[in-house]
Amino acid sequence: MSRSAVVVGVAALVLAALPARAGETVSGRYDIMIGGLQVGVAGLEGRISDEAYETSISLRLSGVSRLIASGRGTASASGRISGGRAIPANYNLTLNTTQQNEAIRMAMTGGAIRSFSAEPERPAAADQVPVTAAHRQGVLDPLAAGLFFAPGAGPTVTAAACAKTFPVFDGRQRYDLSFSFARTDTIKVAGYEGPVVVCNARYRAIAGHRPSQTQAMEANRDMQIWLAPIAGTRALLPARISIRTPVGVALIEPTKLELGSPSTTASISR
């Protein structure tokens, strides 16, 4: 699994929200596994309302083999919610590992990138698909692309929650993440026991990439995401991610989840 795929997977998993006014508090802790071996941990703290969101996440990789870096990362994002979708305002990522250093800053208005920086600067490869101004319009940042909403007024754990395609710009690359319904299921971890909807996931590179390096990810049909409902909202949080890689299945597994009001979230001991 590529380093960027690990980071994107964790970013999608730990999206939560902290609005300007009261909303539902969420938090979680996760193990990152590849081929049955734990290679890192991640955490989130946040809150979400029907009007706005903000998130803060952390990541630590253990570097247990030459395939996985050691180091730390943090990311944060904020924005508002309108029409059952996230409208990002700010996104920041800092990643410092033995294999990769990144500092991404983006400011957004109405889905358009108003300003951004990506350090260190990298020279474009001969076969790299260029990013144009049009590729930075009508997009989400990677954390906003982890916030799902169920349409209508009925149950949130439904097939309709999966029916999404998110246009993502991460500061370097533009890509689509598409989701479709697989099944419903249940999960049981410390802090949450209840239903989830499982979605199949697909990745499609648009710009900023080298085709030779993204073909395997685009062809990957073994990617799924488990969505758990956030109490008091129409939103669902990615609670688990599974991705087949050449070195084994990569899993991002929750060890603890707190998803809103205790009156509607069943707490259990692990």
Side-chain angles (χ1 to χ4, degrees), residues 171-185:
R172 295 192 187 275
Q173 295 187 21
R174 167 70 176 87
Y175 52 88
D176 283 348
L177 296 176
S178 299
F179 303 90
S180 60
F181 175 72
R183 65 186 186 278
T184 56
D185 207 336

Side-chain angles (χ1 to χ4, degrees), residues 140 162-167 176-179:
L140 302 174
C162 292
K164 305 284 190 295
T165 294
F166 295 135
D176 283 348
L177 296 176
S178 299
F179 303 90

